[in-house]
């Protein structure tokens, strides 16, 4: 069986879902945007400053995705 990394599996998954080839850098920004969105909306007991940082990271990662052609 072929030994494949998690990042490569995610890249292939994103490529199939978007129906276009996704580069490793693009897959990283997609993953960052998903994680930062989840950290923003989940009811975590954290300070508001940290929640605002998650929102900022989410906005930045969406901007990077758009800039990279997604």
């Amino acid at each position: 069986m072929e030994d494949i990394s998690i990042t490569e599996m995610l890249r292939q998954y994103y490529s199939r879902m978007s129906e276009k080839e996704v580069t490793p850098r693009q897959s990283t920004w997609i993953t960052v945007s998903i994680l930062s969105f989840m950290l923003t909306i989940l009811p975590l007991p954290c300070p508001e400053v940290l929640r605002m940082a998650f929102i900022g990271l989410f906005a930045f990662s969406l901007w990077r995705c758009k800039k990279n052609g997604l």
Side-chain angles (χ1 to χ4, degrees):
M1 184 174 175
E2 182 180 321
D3 188 26
I4 189 166
S5 68
I6 297 291
T7 55
E8 180 61 22
M9 287 179 10
L10 283 172
R11 190 195 65 75
Q12 290 174 1
Y13 173 75
Y14 295 146
S15 291
R16 277 187 259 126
M17 290 295 111
S18 66
E19 297 180 350
K20 64 186 257 184
E21 192 61 31
V22 174
T23 66
R25 182 172 295 210
Q26 289 171 329
S27 69
T28 300
W29 283 113
I30 293 170
T31 304
V32 169
S33 64
I34 291 169
L35 290 175
S36 61
F37 177 74
M38 294 303 295
L39 290 171
T40 300
I41 65 167
L42 288 176
L44 299 172
C46 64
E48 290 300 314
V49 173
L50 189 57
R51 191 164 307 274
M52 296 304 282
F54 293 149
I55 292 171
L57 180 60
F58 177 62
F60 180 73
S61 62
L62 287 180
W63 175 74
R64 290 297 299 190
C65 285
K66 184 176 180 181
K67 186 176 179 181
N68 285 321
L70 292 174

